[in-house]
Amino acid sequence: MNYVLPLIPALPLVAFVVTLFLGKWWLKDSAHWIPIVAMAASFVLSVAAFLAIRGEEHAIVVELWRWIPVGDFQVPIAFQLDQLSAVMLLVVTGVGTLIFIYSKGYMHHDPGYYRFFAYLSLFAFSMLMLVLGSNYLLLYLGWELVGLCSYYLIGFYYHKPSAASAGKKAFLTNRVGDFGFGIGVMLIFVTFGTLDYIEVFEKVEHHVASEGVLLAIGLLLFLGAMGKSAQFPLHVWLPDAMEGPTPVSALIHAATMVTAGVYMVARSSVIFASAPTAMLVVGAVGAFTAIFAASIGLAQNDIKRVMAYSTVSQLGYMFMALGIGAWVAAIFHLVTHAFFKALLFLGSGSVIHSLSGEQDMRKMGGLAKKIPFTYWTLMAGALALSGIVPFAGFWSKDEILGMNFKGGGYVIWAVGLIAAFITAFYTFRLIFMTFWGESRMDPEVEKHVHESPWSMVVPLMVLGVLSVFGGFLGFPPENGVFHKFLEPVFHQANEILHVEHHYFGMLDFVLMVVSVVVALSGVFFAYLFYVKRPDELPQKAGAVSQPLYKAILNKWYIDEFYNATIIRLTVDGSRWLWRVVDAGVIDGAVNGVGRLWDIAGRVVSPFQTGRVQNYAVVMFIGLFVIVTAVIVF
Amino acid sequence: MVEKILFIVFAAFAVAGALGVITRSNIVHGLILLVFTFINVAGIFLLTQAHFLAVIQVLVYAGAILVLFAFVVMFLNLREFQQEEQFHRGQKWAVIVLAPIMLAEIIFVVTAVTWASVNDGFSPEAIAAQGGNVKVLGEQLFTKMLLPFEVASLILLVGMVGAILLAAKEDRESVCLREWDDDDGVTPSLVEREV
Amino acid sequence: MAIPIEWYLVLSAFLFVIGAAGVLMRRNLFIVLFSIELMMNAVNINLVGFSRLHENLIGQNFVLFTMTVAAAEAAIGLAIVTALYRNRRTLMVDMFDVMKG
């Protein structure tokens, strides 16, 4: 393991460096090979790591070298392999490999081909560092690195102003969260004197810190998670991030990076378990985000934006689970979500690819026959997302809802249920608008509709299979293979929370039926609205709830609110600082100093006449004064 | 008594000559008056039994140096300068006011101090007994003062070389010289001048 | 009956101040050089006077060196005068003010 573990992030790093420096002149159109091979190798190593950690009680820590050895502040570059990081490794490298392969087809002919693969490799490296780090500073390092890659890749089409500003928006919004995260890390160090996971959690268990401090740490960490995982009110960047290429949306903004927040909270489960209020906040924010983002997803017409809001909403589910202490359920949903959301994004990408770049669902329709592979795989993903038995999303989502109900979080459960209904509705709205019904495509576009190349279809099929069967990892609910595997990681946190072991019972079955019925009704309503009577019902519904509809269409005016308050304030404040403080005071002072010496020079320079006798006379006068002074005094 | 009268006469002539030097507008007149002053100073040296110095004063100073001046004055056409203003306008008044006060102050200090003799044994009588001023002075110069004497010769050599270098016309092929503009205050520029 | 030292000093003071006044007032470079010679002579008178007062010959020796320096100075000064005259066609000191600030 000592050699395997460091190699997992090292391979993509090598791929990044090689591709970046050789890509432009040498690799060119074959720039994809090195990253794909590196990523696949990482995946194989991750499987090896997974096999090695299975059933182990303790984490394996591999220290490479001391990074920052300053007095008491010792930060090593060390990798920690436990069941949680093993799962994340598999998700990142597995889904990553598939998306790398997919990118080969999708990004073909793009002038920035090598650049794209270089960035993707850098991202893979950063994400693996984030997942593998054995202390909070390494987590923070990976956290910032993935944010940077996200910025690069959102703004990949940097010549497009909207893409460039979307990248900036993502970066700036994340800064808000990262600020909290950074302070949280500092607070951890101040409180516990170490940043190492194992040591910190041990000290938490021994009540080194008061609950107030733990609450503060928890909330600060969660602020970081809110930024990275796009939770309300810091969710605004994720929908805009869809400006990036679709593989990026799939890998970074659906499957892996945005789940970093979930990973981080799950990783800090001991801290959160010791601060119940923080958990409550996590759950509440998650539930609100779940329904809030789902509602916005209802009215979006851009296929990728629907997915984006869906991602925000599903991340909300994960935080809901974390809020109730259902750590495994959250990670389980993270995994299944990675499968089906990556699938959905890649499928949307395939649709967009076949339609020569069209993203507006109103200009699609009737595509099922023309691109059957895409249709069927996307259908599997949609069923998984909607939570239909027995697809992957059902098991994980139902477990979250069930645990909330049994844990007494009835409100959150109800909210989650409504969100599930909305999810099913908008998911199938997407399917129906895109693949069913009459064609609404431009005739010009329609002529060129074609199934995507194999490099794109194969990853879709693999992910489709995973979306269909992935849920059985967690079967039966709360006692599946997955749960047994992850048990050692959350052992400490569960002990603090006094979680009792549940077995599948009648109540669980009833709850399952309820959520299936809700999901199916969502699908049914979508069918009613967009297949049966697509010409009247949507308009009617829109007309009945006019203000609500408008609010949803405009994403609840969150962006406008930010524009009017924070951004406006910042811009006006900056302008004031520029005009008054910078131009007036600072420039004035600088210019004033310059002018002072200019004036002084003008005043004094006549004394330097260049005539030696003038100087001599002054000397003489000086001598005279001295002599006079000597005589007089 | 006679000495004192002679001293006053010489001193008065010297001061009058000096005043003439700095007031005359004709340089040749000034030169002649300077020679006159120096000869009077030589007289004062004589009165002080510094015979050698008196001779040197006349020979070297009044003779050699001032003849050199006279030569240069003759080389350059200086008549035109006589028509010009000879004194600095503002500065003149400052000097006219301050110089007499300065003089008064110096005289005040000089007379207020009591000067005591050290008496190293070289009274005029002793010098005369040893063979006269010139002999004693020469002996000292070539024994006690030998090193300064050699340095002085070096200074003269350097002065000579410098004078030749400065005054000689450049005969190198082309030299970068500062182009002096007759207009006042124009920044000089480097120009290539053919010689 | 020797001449009191004060007399020498007073005469020296006269010549020195007159020389200084000449250096400061006159525009003609020649007169400035003459005035410098005057000031040197004032020094020489002092040296000779003190030589007499202290009854040794060091002062007189020193006058010889002063004269040496004066000779060198005159030679260099006149060389400068000729160079200046050749370049600027004037000897009025206040014309040489290229170093004006």
Side-chain angles (χ1 to χ4, degrees):
Chain A
M1 243 343 94
N2 281 355
Y3 299 103
V4 171
L5 220 47
L7 265 182
I8 295 174
L11 286 173
L13 181 64
V14 170
F16 160 67
V17 173
V18 171
T19 314
L20 187 71
F21 287 109
L22 300 182
K24 190 165 185 177
W25 291 282
W26 196 44
L27 297 171
K28 288 178 189 149
D29 284 349
S30 51
H32 53 272
W33 281 117
I34 294 170
I36 288 175
V37 169
M39 205 59 190
S42 276
F43 176 66
V44 172
L45 294 176
S46 300
V47 171
F50 167 79
L51 293 175
I53 199 66
R54 199 176 42 168
E56 290 284 334
E57 276 294 312
H58 298 289
I60 300 172
V61 177
V62 178
E63 184 176 326
L64 294 186
W65 70 85
R66 292 265 143 184
W67 181 24
I68 308 175
V70 181
D72 291 339
F73 188 56
Q74 297 285 339
V75 181
I77 297 278
F79 297 132
Q80 175 172 346
L81 178 68
D82 57 10
Q83 285 78 6
L84 179 58
S85 47
V87 168
M88 293 301 289
L89 280 183
L90 285 178
V91 170
V92 173
T93 54
V95 178
T97 308
L98 292 174
I99 291 172
F100 273 43
I101 295 170
Y102 177 93
S103 306
K104 177 193 174 296
Y106 189 85
M107 296 304 288
H108 205 51
H109 297 315
D110 194 286
Y113 194 63
Y114 82 94
R115 195 160 54 91
F116 183 79
F117 275 99
Y119 287 160
L120 273 191
S121 306
L122 179 62
F123 168 77
F125 159 73
S126 321
M127 191 70 203
L128 291 169
M129 286 293 287
L130 189 161
V131 166
L132 274 175
S134 79
N135 54 56
Y136 277 100
L137 202 67
L138 274 184
L139 175 64
Y140 189 78
L141 175 78
W143 193 270
E144 294 297 340
L145 274 175
V146 290
L148 181 72
C149 296
S150 162
Y151 167 76
Y152 283 154
L153 285 163
I154 293 169
F156 183 72
Y157 301 121
Y158 53 84
H159 43 82
K160 237 168 71 183
S162 61
S165 58
K168 272 187 275 182
K169 186 174 180 180
F171 206 75
L172 289 175
T173 315
N174 267 304
R175 291 253 62 74
V176 179
D178 293 355
F179 176 68
F181 185 24
I183 295 186
V185 171
M186 292 177 209
L187 194 56
I188 287 173
F189 181 75
V190 168
T191 314
F192 302 110
T194 176
L195 289 173
D196 192 84
Y197 291 144
I198 297 172
E199 289 173 29
V200 168
F201 300 151
E202 243 170 39
K203 289 191 173 167
V204 172
E205 270 194 315
H206 291 104
H207 303 287
V208 170
S210 68
E211 203 182 311
V213 174
L214 287 173
L215 173 64
I217 292 174
L219 289 180
L220 285 168
L221 291 184
F222 183 55
L223 186 60
M226 277 160 76
K228 191 84 21 195
S229 295
Q231 294 299 290
F232 180 85
L234 298 180
H235 66 279
V236 287
W237 66 272
L238 188 55
D240 287 15
M242 296 303 133
E243 290 286 347
T246 305
V248 170
S249 308
L251 179 62
I252 301 186
H253 304 120
T256 55
M257 186 192 83
V258 288
T259 60
V262 178
Y263 165 77
M264 186 245 273
V265 175
R267 172 59 81 197
S268 318
S269 57
V270 179
I271 294 175
F272 281 90
S274 312
T277 320
M279 282 180 75
L280 193 66
V281 172
V282 171
V285 169
F288 180 73
T289 308
I291 191 163
F292 173 82
S295 71
I296 299 175
L298 278 176
Q300 298 298 314
N301 288 318
D302 185 315
I303 189 166
K304 282 180 73 183
R305 277 183 179 267
V306 176
M307 295 297 177
Y309 281 107
S310 161
T311 304
V312 175
S313 166
Q314 296 302 310
L315 289 166
Y317 272 106
M318 296 174 206
F319 283 109
M320 260 163 75
L322 294 171
I324 201 74
W327 321 107
V328 180
I331 298 300
F332 186 29
H333 196 55
L334 186 160
V335 173
T336 56
H337 176 257
F339 293 156
F340 64 70
K341 191 49 67 67
L343 169 61
L344 285 167
F345 264 114
L346 295 185
S348 321
S350 179
V351 171
I352 295 165
H353 191 75
S354 12
L355 294 184
S356 322
E358 183 57 64
Q359 298 199 7
D360 194 334
M361 292 195 295
R362 285 169 299 189
K363 293 186 182 159
M364 297 177 186
L367 281 171
K369 292 262 164 47
K370 296 195 170 104
I371 42 175
F373 279 118
T374 306
Y375 169 61
W376 283 112
T377 49
L378 206 55
M379 186 57 129
L383 288 167
L385 172 59
S386 308
I388 310 290
V389 175
F391 296 91
F394 167 75
W395 300 105
S396 52
K397 189 195 282 184
D398 183 67
E399 188 177 327
I400 292 171
L401 292 176
M403 287 197 68
N404 265 295
F405 186 83
K406 284 183 288 183
Y410 301 115
V411 179
I412 288 181
W413 172 78
V415 169
L417 211 57
I418 298 168
F421 171 78
I422 301 174
T423 305
F425 183 85
Y426 70 65
T427 309
F428 275 86
R429 171 174 173 265
L430 183 150
I431 293 286
F432 294 145
M433 280 179 83
T434 310
F435 291 103
W436 292 30
E438 296 293 309
S439 166
R440 298 178 300 277
M441 290 176 279
D442 284 340
E444 192 58 36
V445 171
E446 195 165 1
K447 264 189 270 176
H448 297 291
V449 172
H450 56 286
E451 184 60 277
S452 303
W454 285 107
S455 60
M456 290 169 70
V457 174
V458 171
L460 282 180
M461 293 202 297
V462 175
L463 285 169
V465 171
L466 287 170
S467 301
V468 174
F469 300 108
F472 291 107
L473 285 173
F475 182 83
E478 299 175 45
N479 284 305
V481 186
F482 199 75
H483 301 77
K484 295 222 172 68
F485 176 71
L486 277 176
E487 223 285 61
V489 181
F490 300 115
H491 184 70
Q492 281 174 298
N494 285 338
E495 253 180 15
I496 295 170
L497 288 174
H498 309 295
V499 175
E500 282 156 38
H501 217 69
H502 279 287
Y503 288 96
F504 193 72
M506 197 57 205
L507 181 60
D508 297 279
F509 186 72
V510 173
L511 289 172
M512 259 186 188
V513 172
V514 170
S515 65
V516 171
V517 168
V518 165
L520 282 175
S521 63
V523 176
F524 172 72
F525 274 105
Y527 179 75
L528 210 61
F529 269 55
Y530 294 99
V531 179
K532 272 285 179 202
R533 297 148 83 181
D535 300 327
E536 22 171 340
L537 270 183
Q539 276 85 349
K540 227 183 242 175
V544 168
S545 55
Q546 186 65 24
L548 189 65
Y549 176 74
K550 272 188 95 171
I552 290 173
L553 194 64
N554 288 302
K555 300 166 259 174
W556 295 103
Y557 299 107
I558 295 289
D559 278 337
E560 284 75 7
F561 175 73
Y562 283 162
N563 274 336
T565 53
I566 297 168
I567 295 172
R568 184 73 189 280
L569 215 65
T570 312
V571 169
D572 285 357
S574 305
R575 188 165 289 145
W576 182 81
L577 285 174
W578 162 39
R579 293 246 166 90
V580 179
V581 177
D582 188 54
V585 178
I586 294 173
D587 281 7
V590 172
N591 291 341
V593 169
R595 201 167 297 138
L596 179 71
W597 294 117
D598 186 47
I599 292 167
R602 275 170 211 283
V603 170
V604 176
S605 77
F607 290 103
Q608 192 186 351
T609 55
R611 294 171 188 169
V612 187
Q613 282 174 319
N614 291 145
Y615 309 156
V617 142
V618 175
M619 268 175 72
F620 184 74
I621 292 170
L623 184 68
F624 173 77
V625 169
I626 292 171
V627 171
T628 311
V630 168
I631 290 171
V632 172
F633 303 110
Chain B
M1 196 61 210
V2 181
E3 281 177 329
K4 283 185 177 174
I5 292 166
L6 279 175
F7 185 94
I8 290 168
V9 171
F10 284 139
F13 281 152
V15 170
L19 279 173
V21 168
I22 67 161
T23 47
R24 304 300 299 180
S25 59
N26 190 322
I27 296 169
V28 182
H29 292 183
L31 189 58
I32 302 294
L33 282 169
L34 191 63
V35 174
F36 177 69
T37 306
F38 285 174
I39 288 171
N40 281 293
V41 172
I44 286 173
F45 287 173
L46 270 181
L47 287 179
T48 325
Q49 272 87 35
H51 307 120
F52 184 66
L53 284 186
V55 175
I56 290 293
Q57 173 85 5
V58 174
L59 277 182
V60 175
Y61 240 130
I65 296 178
L66 292 185
V67 167
L68 185 64
F69 273 97
F71 264 116
V72 177
V73 170
M74 287 191 304
F75 282 147
L76 309 177
N77 179 16
L78 299 177
R79 197 157 295 239
E80 51 192 293
F81 300 128
Q82 286 179 29
Q83 273 73 49
E84 286 190 34
E85 175 65 49
Q86 294 293 319
F87 296 92
H88 289 293
R89 256 159 282 138
Q91 219 150 300
K92 182 170 70 180
W93 298 110
V95 174
I96 287 172
V97 171
L98 286 181
I101 304 173
M102 189 79 182
L103 180 60
E105 283 176 350
I106 294 174
I107 292 170
F108 170 75
V109 172
V110 162
T111 49
V113 176
T114 311
W115 302 98
S117 171
V118 175
N119 198 346
D120 284 339
F122 286 93
S123 64
E125 294 76 27
I127 292 170
Q130 285 183 28
N133 175 267
V134 179
K135 185 175 181 240
V136 177
L137 192 66
E139 273 171 1
Q140 269 202 2
L141 191 62
F142 291 114
T143 53
K144 217 171 160 187
M145 293 289 181
L146 187 60
L147 186 66
F149 179 77
E150 295 298 337
V151 173
S153 69
L154 202 64
I155 287 173
L156 281 175
L157 178 67
V158 171
M160 194 165 70
V161 172
I164 291 167
L165 199 71
L166 280 167
K169 269 201 149 156
E170 289 88 357
D171 53 354
R172 279 156 289 180
E173 282 188 6
S174 73
V175 197
C176 274
L177 283 178
R178 282 182 192 283
E179 180 72 2
W180 298 93
D181 215 305
D182 279 340
D183 291 334
D184 212 4
V186 169
T187 318
S189 56
L190 282 174
V191 291
E192 193 89 341
R193 201 166 78 171
E194 295 294 327
V195 179
Chain C
M1 188 62 208
I3 301 155
I5 182 68
E6 284 85 358
W7 290 29
Y8 289 97
L9 296 178
V10 170
L11 171 61
S12 159
F14 265 102
L15 287 183
F16 184 83
V17 169
I18 289 167
V23 167
L24 297 177
M25 293 197 303
R26 294 302 297 261
R27 294 177 68 218
N28 196 311
L29 189 51
F30 270 107
I31 307 289
V32 172
L33 285 176
F34 294 170
S35 303
I36 291 170
E37 300 297 342
L38 275 177
M39 289 162 83
M40 282 195 169
N41 258 277
V43 174
N44 286 353
I45 290 168
N46 265 359
L47 288 169
V48 171
F50 277 114
S51 167
R52 177 79 185 79
L53 173 69
H54 296 307
E55 301 200 339
N56 69 12
L57 288 177
I58 302 291
Q60 295 191 20
N61 268 315
F62 228 91
V63 172
L64 282 174
F65 296 124
T66 315
M67 284 183 182
T68 314
V69 172
E73 175 248 313
I76 299 281
L78 286 169
I80 291 172
V81 165
T82 50
L84 277 176
Y85 183 78
R86 199 154 53 214
N87 281 309
R88 301 220 51 182
R89 295 280 148 207
T90 182
L91 283 179
M92 293 304 169
V93 183
D94 53 356
M95 292 297 179
F96 307 120
D97 60 352
V98 274
M99 295 292 280
K100 185 158 79 181

